[in-house]
């Protein structure tokens, strides 16, 4: 009896040790997975902000590709102007600029001028307004002049022959997920010294471009009026033909209707679009 009891006790002790080793192995497995998760999380946040050194053209503070989440905030001062030359069928040309758009707030105007993605979204809205106005838009050519951190001024959106209609709706994914705009409708970082590269320094009349923008809004069925009867500038809003606020109508998105308009108005079937 004593030997049997001792054997049972030894077996029980052995089983307990095996169970303890299994628990230890499971704990080690959980710890390993947790360690891998932490390493992946922190590794991503260390590598992602540095991606512009490998994936993008030099000068991220200039062309803005790879600028977001890149530890480049507040490291640059960039100022200048941008104008679009709208060309319609028949040869009519009209000049527009974000600063003349009543649809934009002051903060949106600043972003729409010197941030390429925001500028292209505003350009998309401009194309949609031409569609709503029944105008046959064939091209949108950029004119611009900017200076980065006191460097000599240079065009940011160029060449002037670039047709931004070719790129609407195709700039949401940049390298490594999509093509870069540098060399297509954005310029490379200008040298830190040398000659001024701008052909013009805002030779356009602001009052004329405001008139052009207001006429386009009217032709598109948009109206600028007070939403509450107040006399303050902030009480006035741009309304769409359906009576809704214009900013709720997603004018800056390329939907099927706008894509079809661009194909028909320009007589192409997707060529050059990215």
């Amino acid at each position: 009896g004593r030997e049997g009891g001792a054997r049972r006790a030894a077996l029980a002790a052995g089983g307990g040790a095996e169970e303890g080793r299994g628990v230890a192995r499971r704990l080690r497995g959980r710890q390993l997975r947790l360690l891998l998760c932490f390493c992946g999380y922190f590794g991503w946040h260390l590598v992602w902000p540095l991606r512009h050194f490998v994936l993008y053209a030099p000068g991220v503070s200039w062309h803005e590709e790879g600028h977001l989440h890149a530890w480049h905030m507040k490291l640059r001062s960039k100022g200048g102007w941008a104008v679009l030359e709208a060309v319609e069928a028949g040869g009519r040309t009209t000049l527009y600029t974000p600063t003349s758009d009543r649809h934009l707030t002051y903060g949106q105007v600043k972003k729409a001028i010197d941030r390429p993605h925001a500028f292209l979204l505003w350009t998309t809205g401009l194309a949609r307004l031409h569609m709503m106005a029944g105008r046959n838009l064939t091209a949108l050519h950029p004119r611009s002049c900017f200076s980065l951190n006191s460097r000599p001024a240079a065009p940011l959106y160029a060449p002037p022959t670039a047709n931004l209609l070719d790129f609407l709706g195709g700039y949401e994914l940049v390298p490594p997920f999509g093509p870069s705009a540098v060399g297509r409708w954005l310029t490379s970082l200008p040298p830190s010294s040398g000659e001024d590269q701008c052909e013009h320094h805002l030779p356009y009349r602001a009052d004329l471009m405001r008139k052009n923008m207001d006429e386009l809004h009217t032709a598109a069925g948009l109206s600028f009026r007070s939403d509450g009867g107040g006399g303050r500038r902030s009480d006035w809003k741009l309304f769409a033909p359906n009576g809704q606020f214009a900013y709720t109508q997603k004018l800056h998105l390329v939907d099927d209707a706008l894509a079809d308009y661009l194909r028909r108005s320009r007589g192409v079937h997707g060529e050059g679009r990215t």
Side-chain angles (χ1 to χ4, degrees), residues 49-95:
L50 303 176
R51 69 194 185 282
H52 60 84
F53 289 113
V54 178
L55 301 177
Y56 304 94
V60 62
S61 294
W62 174 255
H63 55 67
E64 306 274 341
E65 291 187 352
H67 176 74
L68 294 179
H69 316 291
W71 298 340
H72 272 250
M73 302 298 126
K74 307 298 183 183
L75 292 182
R76 58 104 167 94
S77 175
K78 184 169 63 177
W81 57 267
V83 170
L84 282 179
E85 180 187 48
V87 182
E88 300 177 34
R92 176 183 176 182
T93 62
T94 312
L95 299 178

Side-chain angles (χ1 to χ4, degrees), residues 120-130 216 251-253 258:
L120 202 63
L121 291 177
W122 179 78
T123 302
T124 304
L126 193 67
R128 182 178 294 277
L129 290 176
H130 280 79
L216 181 61
L251 302 178
H252 62 285
L253 298 180
L258 182 56

Side-chain angles (χ1 to χ4, degrees), residues 233-250:
R233 171 66 176 79
S234 59
D235 291 330
W236 289 72
K237 302 290 188 298
L238 196 64
F239 288 83
N242 59 8
Q244 301 296 316
F245 290 129
Y247 68 81
T248 67
Q249 304 304 296
K250 300 181 179 179

Side-chain angles (χ1 to χ4, degrees), residues 42 53 88 145 161 195 234:
F42 288 109
F53 289 113
E88 300 177 34
C145 183
T161 55
E195 296 292 328
S234 59

Side-chain angles (χ1 to χ4, degrees), residues 33 41 64 111 121 127 137 155 193 199 218 231 248:
R33 288 192 293 272
Y41 178 81
E64 306 274 341
K111 291 183 172 72
L121 291 177
L137 186 65
S193 61
E199 294 184 10
T218 301
T248 67

